[in-house]
Amino acid sequence: MRQLLLALLVGILAQHTAHAQPEPIKFGQVDKQDLTAAPFAKDSAAAVVLCDYGRSRMEGKGAGLQVVFERITRIKILKKAGFNYATVEIPLYHRDGNQEKLSALRGFTYNLVNGTAEKTKLETTGTFVEKRTSTNNIQKFTLPNVREGSVIEYAYTLRSDFLFNFQDWTFQQDIPVRWSEYRVSIPTFYKYKIIYQGNPAFDVNLARIGTVGLSLDDKVPSGGGLSAGASSGTLTVTATTEEHQWVRKNVPPFRPEPYMTTARDYVDRLDFELTGEQWSENDYHDLTGTWPKINALLLADEDFGGRLNRSGPLKDQVVGLAARYPAVTDRAAAVRQLVMAAVRYDGTDRYAATEPLRKAYDAHRGSAADVNLLLIAALHDAGVEAEPVLLSTRDHGRISKEFPMLDRFNYVVALVPLADGKDLLVDATEPLLPCGVLPERCLNQSGRLVPAKGTEGRWVDLVPTQRQVRFQQVALTLDAQGGLSGKVHEEHGGYAGAHARAELASLGEKKLLAGLQQRHDAWTVPKLTPSQAETVDKPFLLDYEFSQPAASTAAAGTFYLSPLSDFGPGQNPFRHPDRTYAVDFGMTQEETLLVTLTLPAGYELASVPKPAVVELPGQGGRFVYNVSAAAPGVVQLTSRLNLRKPVYAAQEYASLRELYSQLMAHQAEKLVIQKKPGG
């Protein structure tokens, strides 16, 4: 009868009978002190959130309920780099003709002019709606007259019929937050699980039982904490509610780090997962999604299953491939090549194709869903068994295996089962990768198989067998004046090969050469010689020669060289002493650097540095360093890094950082080259 009826589950909550606290902010009432610089003298950030206050409740709408979310946000702009916080984006969910609606949008910019607070109003003409995805629009606006020292504030109300899409709340941002508060009031006949991510130390965490009056146009079963009285065709319902108030004060900014997925996976936040509704003691309805339900929904959806249930536009081109490529892996690769030649990925990530595949085929470009659903259809036409796998890209966020939720996914690839029981995962959006290797943006640990028969499906491991491999072999010759000449051979395999090919395709040889010389300004490099750039299933090769004149400060008879330092990473990517979340490389890594240094006649290595081996706990990785006199007048240096895990937990960060510190220290170690005694 009612699509609306949902609920709130909170685990074990302490009940506080204290009355709700006063609201922390009043729109339009700005403290004049906040318009001055004095309170922010110690802030180095570009802006500071003074207060972010939100409240969600439910009210009657027709025969059901809707969520009403109200928000007031006030921000102090400290530097020009903070001007972007004056541009606000509000996501509006829509589906099946229904959409969330924004109302009561208002905003001001406050500036202190000659000691007087001057405010500029946000005009509604400065707002617009942008279509972002098939289910999300974005309401955008920019506060006017923003300067260094401005205070901006905005407020709005959002009404949503999608009770499963109860408003989440993020306490932590990329700038400091002085006060962040969220309050919710949910009728007890709706059950939600509240999930907290991040630092659990709330400054205020109150829960109590309240009541709410709801006016509905339809009848609701009695019980479940309800009392009702009907008049004039409406039903007035008094329901008990779960009331919550959460406050975080002085929240530090989230610090982005190398090798992470989206910040959403790590910031302090609250999420709400709908689990059921209960209108009487014995009338509980489980509203959690299940994978069979989701699979059936997808397969019945014209934008997903409908695209796969008919032959694709490439049928005439692929039907003869079975005779030419009897091996499934070869045939899948051939089909993939045809798809990549027909349709180019436009950078949009979706799991469903909102238009017929023929449209993307005719336009020669389309979203990830257009490309990869076309791929699956073409594989079927070529006689290759293939099924879709849903995943969430790294910039979209991780998936909860505990709660089946379709909106957590934003991408689809093909899975081809092989005779040996292994899975071949195929994506046709990246021509610079070989068949069976997913783009790096897809390496987000797990995906979900959607079987054609509508069964439950299974989780699919997205960790690639391909590694990121870099190999450098360098032959250096030192002359008696301290000048250097060298020949360099580089091999970039796996994902490193894709990166190198993309850089070459983007820059071209001339700019690639210019970039190399810019990084090594003392070098003279006549030319670069790339090879195997088009053969994506083999390492990308790069060869070049260089010369470097002697430094003017070189002491006669003694030279100090760090031969590895010009070819290593340059700096430790892990600069901070601590990290609260995982280091996610996406794939395993191997970097090998071999340098052979030929000394001028009559010179020798004064002393041989000690070798080093650094092991990560649990055989998680290893760094090896070695220097040896390979022959008279020849020095051999070896640096080898092997990271055997795609993801390292936060608890492993200190060891990983120390390993890189050791690598940097040894690669910077100076060799002392001196004249032989009597030379």
Side-chain angles (χ1 to χ4, degrees):
M1 177 180 82
R2 296 166 301 274
Q3 294 179 318
L4 53 136
L5 306 176
L6 314 159
L8 172 126
L9 167 67
V10 276
I12 300 174
L13 296 171
Q15 294 186 13
H16 297 265
T17 58
H19 294 294
Q21 301 297 310
E23 294 185 339
I25 186 173
K26 296 293 184 182
F27 184 79
Q29 299 180 16
V30 175
D31 187 341
K32 188 175 179 180
Q33 186 73 7
D34 288 337
L35 295 173
T36 67
F40 309 96
K42 295 182 179 180
D43 285 295
S44 59
V48 175
V49 176
L50 301 177
C51 186
D52 194 13
Y53 172 56
R55 184 177 66 160
S56 288
R57 56 188 171 82
M58 290 189 184
E59 65 180 26
K61 180 188 177 184
L65 300 181
Q66 65 177 354
V67 178
V68 180
F69 172 66
E70 299 165 296
R71 184 174 203 159
I72 303 175
T73 302
R74 186 176 293 160
I75 301 173
K76 173 72 172 183
I77 306 298
L78 298 175
K79 302 175 183 177
K80 287 183 179 179
F83 286 6
N84 60 300
Y85 294 99
T87 297
V88 182
E89 296 188 356
I90 304 170
L92 301 174
Y93 185 82
H94 63 92
R95 192 182 74 180
D96 301 331
N98 294 324
Q99 62 181 3
E100 295 178 331
K101 292 182 174 60
L102 195 72
S103 62
L105 174 62
R106 55 210 187 275
F108 287 106
T109 300
Y110 300 87
N111 290 295
L112 195 62
V113 180
N114 297 324
T116 302
E118 182 181 272
K119 65 180 182 179
T120 307
K121 182 180 179 182
L122 170 68
E123 300 295 340
T124 56
T125 54
T127 70
F128 63 95
V129 176
E130 172 187 308
K131 184 175 182 180
R132 186 67 56 87
T133 70
S134 59
T135 57
N136 274 286
N137 294 331
I138 301 295
Q139 179 89 44
K140 296 182 71 172
F141 59 89
T142 299
L143 278 302
N145 197 24
V146 175
R147 314 169 191 169
E148 291 183 2
S150 296
V151 170
I152 60 173
E153 71 171 350
Y154 56 88
Y156 61 86
T157 300
L158 189 152
R159 284 179 165 78
S160 175
D161 296 338
F162 305 104
L163 302 190
F164 65 85
N165 198 35
F166 198 90
Q167 287 289 329
D168 303 325
W169 187 260
T170 300
F171 294 92
Q172 190 175 33
Q173 301 187 34
D174 59 354
I175 54 176
V177 178
R178 297 280 177 88
W179 186 290
S180 181
E181 178 172 342
Y182 192 37
R183 302 182 188 184
V184 300
S185 173
I186 308 178
T188 54
F189 40 79
Y190 289 128
K191 309 297 178 185
Y192 290 87
K193 180 172 183 178
I194 302 174
I195 303 167
Y196 190 77
Q197 171 183 284
N199 185 351
F202 288 108
D203 293 282
V204 177
N205 184 4
L206 299 178
R208 67 185 184 91
I209 298 300
T211 59
V212 65
L214 304 169
S215 296
L216 306 175
D217 291 344
D218 199 359
K219 206 168 187 179
V220 178
S222 62
L226 308 178
S227 61
S231 64
S232 303
T234 63
L235 183 70
T236 302
V237 175
T238 301
T240 56
T241 57
E242 300 245 23
E243 309 280 335
H244 292 270
Q245 180 187 16
W246 297 280
V247 177
R248 288 286 312 278
K249 301 177 185 178
N250 299 316
V251 185
F254 175 75
R255 188 180 69 205
E257 298 272 12
Y259 307 112
M260 56 174 273
T261 55
T262 176
R264 180 184 168 86
D265 288 342
Y266 312 110
V267 294
D268 298 349
R269 58 178 290 110
L270 283 170
D271 288 284
F272 295 78
E273 306 285 358
L274 177 65
T275 60
E277 65 178 16
Q278 187 163 11
W279 291 85
S280 65
E281 184 176 351
N282 299 316
D283 186 26
Y284 178 78
H285 299 278
D286 186 351
L287 296 174
T288 55
T290 66
W291 295 115
K293 287 179 185 177
I294 288 176
N295 294 344
L297 177 68
L298 284 167
L299 295 173
D301 187 345
E302 178 62 23
D303 293 346
F304 190 86
R307 310 298 183 211
L308 304 176
N309 290 335
R310 60 179 69 94
S311 293
L314 289 169
K315 180 178 181 180
D316 292 342
Q317 299 179 54
V318 303
V319 289
L321 294 179
R324 293 173 56 193
Y325 302 100
V328 169
T329 53
D330 294 340
R331 201 182 323 159
V335 171
R336 176 178 178 267
Q337 284 297 125
L338 288 172
V339 172
M340 290 191 297
V343 183
R344 175 176 291 186
Y345 168 59
D346 65 7
T348 305
D349 294 336
R350 295 188 185 126
Y351 65 77
T354 56
E355 300 285 350
L357 298 180
R358 166 63 69 174
K359 185 171 182 178
Y361 176 78
D362 291 340
H364 303 296
R365 59 185 288 112
S367 68
D370 295 324
V371 173
N372 285 330
L373 293 180
L374 177 63
L375 169 68
I376 297 171
L379 288 168
H380 292 166
D381 290 335
V384 176
E385 182 182 349
E387 293 180 313
V389 171
L390 298 183
L391 59 88
S392 175
T393 55
R394 291 170 67 90
D395 64 357
H396 187 252
R398 61 181 167 223
I399 298 165
S400 170
K401 291 186 177 182
E402 184 180 359
F403 297 99
M405 297 187 70
L406 189 54
D407 65 351
R408 293 294 189 261
F409 299 94
N410 72 325
Y411 204 92
V412 62
V413 298
L415 182 146
V416 176
L418 303 179
D420 60 2
K422 296 180 180 180
D423 297 329
L424 178 69
L425 295 174
V426 188
D427 175 277
T429 66
E430 294 292 346
L432 297 180
L433 289 170
C435 184
V437 179
L438 295 182
E440 194 169 339
R441 63 179 173 274
C442 297
L443 303 183
N444 206 6
Q445 301 189 34
S446 297
R448 187 74 192 183
L449 179 70
V450 182
K453 296 180 181 179
T455 55
E456 182 162 331
R458 59 182 172 88
W459 290 104
V460 177
D461 187 4
L462 301 179
V463 176
T465 56
Q466 282 273 9
R467 299 174 297 164
Q468 179 154 282
V469 180
R470 294 188 181 93
F471 174 82
Q472 296 179 87
Q473 189 167 29
V474 184
L476 295 178
T477 300
L478 177 69
D479 64 32
Q481 289 72 44
L484 274 176
S485 61
K487 294 182 178 180
V488 182
H489 172 73
E490 298 182 0
E491 298 184 10
H492 302 261
Y495 286 97
H499 293 163
R501 289 182 173 94
E503 187 177 27
L504 177 62
S506 173
L507 299 178
E509 286 187 37
K510 287 185 178 180
K511 288 186 178 179
L512 193 64
L513 174 59
L516 179 64
Q517 295 204 181
Q518 188 175 16
R519 292 192 300 273
H520 305 280
D521 55 4
W523 288 8
T524 298
V525 185
K527 67 173 184 176
L528 299 175
T529 305
S531 53
Q532 295 187 174
E534 305 299 325
T535 314
V536 298
D537 57 346
K538 293 183 179 180
F540 172 82
L541 308 181
L542 186 66
D543 291 274
Y544 60 92
E545 298 181 7
F546 73 92
S547 60
Q548 175 181 307
S552 59
T553 57
T558 304
F559 305 109
Y560 301 91
L561 300 179
S562 301
L564 296 175
S565 61
D566 279 330
F567 306 97
Q571 64 179 7
N572 190 336
F574 307 114
R575 297 182 296 113
H576 298 288
D578 59 354
R579 179 162 166 158
T580 58
Y581 51 91
V583 177
D584 191 335
F585 292 104
M587 77 292 289
T588 57
Q589 315 257 330
E590 182 179 304
E591 297 194 8
T592 302
L593 174 55
L594 304 177
V595 176
T596 301
L597 173 63
T598 301
L599 307 181
Y603 282 76
E604 65 180 0
L605 186 63
S607 62
V608 178
K610 292 181 180 180
V613 177
V614 183
E615 298 273 2
L616 290 178
Q619 298 184 336
R622 192 182 202 213
F623 166 64
V624 176
Y625 168 77
N626 188 63
V627 179
S628 63
V634 178
V635 181
Q636 182 80 52
L637 301 95
T638 301
S639 171
R640 182 172 286 113
L641 173 67
N642 196 327
L643 299 178
R644 303 187 183 104
K645 297 171 66 174
V647 180
Y648 292 85
Q651 296 83 351
E652 300 174 284
Y653 175 74
S655 298
L656 186 64
R657 181 172 182 263
E658 177 59 24
L659 180 142
Y660 268 89
S661 296
Q662 292 287 335
L663 179 149
M664 297 302 303
H666 285 295
Q667 289 190 352
E669 195 166 2
K670 289 191 179 297
L671 303 181
V672 180
I673 312 297
Q674 64 184 16
K675 279 189 175 183
K676 294 179 181 179

